[in-house]
């Protein structure tokens, strides 16, 4: 074991499609290039099928989801836990994860950092769902994890406040850093006036389906407002055709490599989001990608109040029929969104983790 090694525990990695896995891999690259920290990946999915070496990073999966299964793959190097309950257990309650980490910590006294991509489902479903009955257990587990950690990181200020309550009398430092782009952070971005009249719809098929069904009128209005001539739909195919928009070429591009997506976004003027309320933009990788590429983020719904430093009309535009906007105003919003993103780019995440470990 190298003295400059860090163990990242993550649900899965490539070839599985996983935003959390992509983030962990990008974080590992910057930790290595900028902070001389080499990552050893331990995967929490026994069914994972992939290479035991990913870009020079050794990878091992646990053979069973149990305390012993986790401990068998750990050494004494500092740990960064990428936590999202449903990534480690079908019902979102991976008690074995806490049991293994607690035993490891007592034995090694090494540093342990947890990145909470989720805390627990406090917006749980009705009483006949498992999330309703398991929510108290999931909350308890999140509390154990934050109290056991030397440092905790999460994506939203509201999540940070939840974790502050869960840590009780422990002094675990907790920082909120919005998520970063998984498809690159290009420099030398061109102004919107010099880009193609292209709009991007990117993300999970369910979220993109909302764009074309529930929020179709808002999408059409956005295209008309900016004279959009081409719409690029990017992601796993939805299984149904994209409805046409007058005078707009509709391109269903499917799954693309990050570099290809980045190139398309660098020559687009706007990106449309339907799936997430404005209150949750700080944890949206799609919103982060739009901001990082200098796009104008367009939403179909308003937020109730400012969250995580994001303001309607300053960092994103809400498309409502009858509400006009100029390209110059769109440029101002895109610039503000890009500046907001710069404060928590990938380097800032890696720097926070490296300093916590050392």
């Amino acid at each position: 074991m190298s003295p400059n090694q860090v163990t990242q525990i993550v649900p899965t990695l490539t070839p599985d499609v996983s935003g959390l896995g992509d983030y962990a891999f990008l974080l590992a690259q910057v930790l290595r290039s900028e902070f001389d920290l080499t990552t050893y990946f331990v995967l929490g999915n026994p069914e994972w099928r992939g290479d035991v070496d990913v870009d020079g990073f050794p990878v091992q999966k646990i053979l069973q989801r149990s305390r012993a299964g986790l401990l068998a793959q750990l050494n004494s190097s500092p740990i960064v836990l990428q936590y999202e309950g449903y990534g480690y257990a079908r019902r979102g309650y991976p008690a074995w994860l806490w049991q293994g980490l607690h035993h490891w910590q007592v034995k090694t006294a090494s540093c342990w950092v947890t990145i909470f991509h989720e805390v627990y489902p406090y917006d749980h479903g009705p009483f006949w769902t498992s999330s309703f009955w398991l929510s108290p257990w999931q909350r308890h587990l999140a509390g154990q994890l934050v109290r056991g950690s030397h440092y905790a990181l999460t994506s939203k200020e509201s999540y940070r406040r939840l974790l502050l309550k869960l840590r009780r009398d422990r002094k675990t430092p907790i920082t909120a850093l919005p998520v970063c782009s998984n498809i690159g952070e290009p420099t030398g971005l061109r102004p919107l006036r010099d880009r193609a009249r292209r709009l991007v719809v990117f993300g999970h098929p369910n979220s993109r389906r909302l764009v074309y069904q529930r929020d179709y009128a808002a999408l059409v209005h956005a295209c008309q407002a900016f004279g959009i001539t081409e719409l690029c739909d990017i992601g796993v195919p939805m299984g149904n055709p994209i409805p046409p928009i007058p005078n707009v070429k509709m391109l269903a591009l499917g799954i693309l490599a990050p570099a290809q997506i980045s190139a398309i976004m660098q020559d687009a003027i706007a990106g449309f989001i339907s799936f997430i309320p404005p209150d949750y933009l700080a944890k949206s990788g799609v919103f982060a990608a739009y901001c990082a590429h200098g796009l104008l983020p367009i939403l179909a719904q308003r937020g109730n109040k400012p969250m995580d430093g994001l303001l309607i009309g300053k960092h994103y535009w809400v498309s409502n029929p009858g509400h006009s906007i100029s390209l110059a105003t769109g440029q101002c919003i895109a610039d503000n969104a890009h500046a907001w993103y710069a404060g928590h780019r990938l380097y800032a995440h890696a720097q926070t983790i490296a300093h916590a470990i050392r």
Side-chain angles (χ1 to χ4, degrees):
M1 181 196 70
S2 165
N4 290 335
Q5 185 184 83
V6 58
T7 299
Q8 276 204 67
I9 302 175
V10 65
T12 190
L13 283 176
T14 182
D16 293 352
V17 177
S18 166
L20 197 156
D22 292 343
Y23 166 75
F25 175 69
L26 292 171
L27 181 65
Q29 289 182 313
V30 179
L31 286 173
R32 179 172 62 186
S33 64
E34 302 295 329
F35 300 97
D36 194 29
L37 285 169
T38 300
T39 293
Y40 159 53
F41 283 108
V42 173
L43 307 190
N45 180 9
E47 304 302 319
W48 178 78
R49 298 289 183 269
D51 296 332
V52 296
D53 183 287
V54 178
D55 192 33
F57 301 116
V59 181
Q60 290 290 337
K61 66 179 180 181
I62 62 173
L63 300 182
Q64 58 179 341
R65 284 176 164 170
S66 66
R67 186 184 82 160
L70 178 60
L71 289 171
Q73 305 300 344
L74 299 181
N75 52 43
S76 60
S77 65
I79 280 177
V80 175
L81 169 65
Q82 305 279 357
Y83 184 69
E84 191 277 312
Y86 287 94
Y88 297 99
R90 188 169 64 88
R91 297 189 183 276
Y93 179 60
W96 59 270
L97 194 59
W98 155 251
Q99 293 163 0
L101 285 169
H102 179 65
H103 185 90
W104 168 87
Q105 188 178 58
V106 170
K107 182 179 178 181
T108 67
S110 292
C111 181
W112 162 14
V113 176
T114 301
I115 302 177
F116 287 89
H117 298 269
E118 300 282 355
V119 181
Y120 66 94
Y122 51 92
D123 291 330
H124 50 69
F127 71 88
W128 59 81
T129 62
S130 62
S131 61
F132 177 91
W133 296 104
L134 286 173
S135 181
W137 296 92
Q138 293 164 337
R139 175 189 171 95
H140 177 70
L141 178 58
Q144 290 177 309
L145 292 173
V146 71
R147 290 191 295 273
S149 303
H150 291 89
Y151 193 93
L153 186 67
T154 191
S155 57
K156 280 175 49 61
E157 178 58 29
S158 62
Y159 285 1
R160 191 183 76 88
R161 292 196 295 266
L162 276 178
L163 291 169
L164 286 173
K165 293 179 181 179
L166 293 176
R167 78 176 183 180
R168 297 177 188 167
D169 58 345
R170 293 297 296 271
K171 300 301 181 183
T172 307
I174 305 169
T175 298
L177 272 183
V179 301
C180 50
S181 167
N182 281 350
I183 59 168
E185 299 170 333
T187 57
L189 296 171
R190 288 175 291 154
L192 300 185
R193 67 174 181 271
D194 294 338
R195 302 189 188 193
R197 294 286 171 151
R198 172 187 294 157
L199 181 143
V200 175
V201 178
F202 174 50
H204 190 278
N206 290 342
S207 66
R208 290 170 15 245
R209 200 172 287 117
L210 283 176
V211 173
Y212 305 116
Q213 296 177 359
R214 186 190 67 186
D215 298 320
Y216 177 76
L219 176 66
V220 171
H221 176 62
C223 289
Q224 293 171 343
F226 291 102
I228 297 298
T229 59
E230 179 181 278
L231 184 150
C232 291
D233 179 90
I234 304 172
V236 176
M238 297 178 293
N240 51 296
I242 301 174
I245 295 177
N247 303 315
V248 178
K249 184 178 181 180
M250 312 295 279
L251 299 176
L253 301 178
I255 300 173
L256 300 177
Q260 293 174 297
I261 301 172
S262 181
I264 290 169
M265 287 192 180
Q266 288 180 64
D267 194 27
I269 66 173
F272 200 95
I273 301 179
S274 278
F275 71 100
I276 194 164
D279 295 355
Y280 285 81
L281 287 175
K283 70 183 299 295
S284 167
V286 173
F287 183 72
Y290 292 166
C291 294
H293 286 77
L295 294 174
L296 166 64
I298 301 178
L299 278 67
Q301 53 185 317
R302 304 175 65 93
N304 294 323
K305 57 183 179 179
M307 294 291 289
D308 302 296
L310 291 168
L311 299 172
I312 182 174
K314 182 176 181 180
H315 300 98
Y316 61 92
W317 181 62
V318 174
S319 177
N320 290 317
H323 182 194
S324 62
I325 183 174
S326 67
L327 187 62
T329 300
Q331 182 68 71
C332 289
I333 296 173
D335 290 344
N336 289 333
H338 187 259
W340 172 83
Y341 177 83
H344 57 267
R345 66 194 193 281
L346 182 58
Y347 179 88
H349 285 242
Q351 183 180 51
T352 300
I353 296 301
H355 287 180
I357 289 171
R358 288 171 169 163

